[in-house]
Amino acid sequence: MSNIVEQLENDMLWKPGIGGKNGSDVVVYISRSHPFYQYIYKELEAGEDALVILDALFLNLSMAEVSINATDRLLVKIFDKLRSSASLQLSRFIEVRLDDPEFD
């Protein structure tokens, strides 16, 4: 389950959480303000293979993080840094690609 939010801390693209109908499902928060969302994610059609794959990737990354963090709280900061670093790299990738005329 993905929830689009305006922005996440440290300019992250995604972040796991717990919620859903019964309050115990893993949910994925995706930042609307991240360049990857703006130029890639939101351009995909509902049900399109690429969107389904991205949603599955974010959900599975989030499920893995939540299950590991549930057993070792020391890893919370490491996963936070991982998401921050991956989000920054995706931002840089988008910026470079947008400057490339072959990207259009």
Side-chain angles (χ1 to χ4, degrees):
M1 165 186 247
S2 294
N3 293 315
I4 307 303
V5 297
E6 193 57 42
Q7 187 169 8
L8 294 170
E9 63 273 2
N10 300 323
D11 296 321
M12 285 186 215
L13 171 58
W14 85 97
K15 181 178 180 178
I18 303 294
K21 291 180 181 178
N22 63 9
S24 63
D25 295 330
V26 173
V27 296
V28 181
Y29 298 100
I30 298 176
S31 174
R32 180 179 286 124
S33 65
H34 193 278
F36 186 85
Y37 178 86
Q38 290 294 319
Y39 294 100
I40 306 295
Y41 192 93
K42 82 172 188 177
E43 298 301 320
L44 300 172
E45 299 283 332
E48 189 175 336
D49 287 348
L51 185 59
V52 171
I53 290 167
L54 283 173
D55 283 344
L57 176 65
F58 289 131
L59 178 60
N60 282 279
L61 288 170
S62 295
M63 289 172 68
E65 182 176 342
V66 167
S67 67
I68 291 170
N69 286 347
T71 60
D72 189 346
R73 299 300 296 164
L74 296 175
L75 295 174
V76 171
K77 287 184 181 180
I78 293 170
F79 277 107
D80 204 46
K81 287 181 182 180
L82 172 73
R83 280 184 279 104
S84 290
S85 179
S87 296
L88 176 61
Q89 295 305 321
L90 280 169
S91 288
R92 289 179 177 166
F93 173 78
I94 295 297
E95 289 170 8
V96 168
R97 296 295 295 205
L98 290 177
D99 289 340
D100 184 350
E102 292 184 22
F103 187 63
D104 295 330

